[in-house]
């Protein structure tokens, strides 16, 4: 809370080529399903942090591309509250 305002889910996002860089109170939801989360919950308040992810899937050619197929990445660093 800052000056009477709740800044949850306030963030700045930048698109640099195929990479999205985000700063702020970013809500995290990791799952292949819209119904359940593997790691995080949206019932908790978002944490302040930085996130780097790709905008669209990366596709490798050749053997590795056939082996793993298209993939995406998401890297984040958050400040935990006490």
């Amino acid at each position: 809370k800052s000056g009477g305002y709740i800044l949850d889910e306030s963030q700045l996002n930048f698109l640099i080529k195929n990479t999205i860089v985000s700063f702020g109170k970013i809500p995290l939801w990791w799952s292949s399903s819209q119904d359940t989360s593997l790691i995080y919950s949206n019932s908790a308040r978002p944490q302040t942090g930085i996130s780097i992810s790709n905008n669209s899937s990366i596709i490798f050619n050749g053997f590795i591309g056939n082996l793993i197929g298209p993939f995406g990445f998401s890297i984040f660093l958050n400040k935990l509250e006490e």
Side-chain angles (χ1 to χ4, degrees), residues 1-13:
K1 207 168 184 179
S2 175
Y5 296 101
I6 297 174
L7 301 175
D8 288 352
E9 299 187 30
S10 299
Q11 57 186 297
L12 292 173
N13 300 312

Side-chain angles (χ1 to χ4, degrees), residues 10 22 26 33 53 59 63 73 77:
S10 299
S22 302
I26 305 165
S33 168
S53 59
I59 301 172
F63 176 75
F73 68 89
L77 180 65

Side-chain angles (χ1 to χ4, degrees), residues 59-74:
I59 301 172
F60 285 115
N61 295 324
F63 176 75
I64 292 178
N66 292 333
L67 183 66
I68 63 173
F71 73 97
F73 68 89
S74 181

Side-chain angles (χ1 to χ4, degrees), residues 1 6-11 23-29 40-50 77-81:
K1 207 168 184 179
I6 297 174
L7 301 175
D8 288 352
E9 299 187 30
S10 299
Q11 57 186 297
F23 302 94
K25 292 200 169 258
I26 305 165
L28 298 172
W29 181 269
Y40 288 100
S41 167
N42 61 358
S43 62
R45 296 184 70 191
Q47 301 168 340
T48 303
I50 180 173
L77 180 65
N78 290 357
K79 178 183 176 189
L80 298 177
E81 295 181 7

Side-chain angles (χ1 to χ4, degrees), residues 18-19 54-60 65 68-73:
N18 189 36
T19 305
N54 61 323
N55 190 33
S56 58
S57 297
I58 298 171
I59 301 172
F60 285 115
I68 63 173
F71 73 97
F73 68 89

Side-chain angles (χ1 to χ4, degrees), residues 29-40:
W29 181 269
W30 273 21
S31 179
S32 57
S33 168
Q34 295 293 324
D35 300 323
T36 60
S37 174
L38 296 174
I39 298 177
Y40 288 100

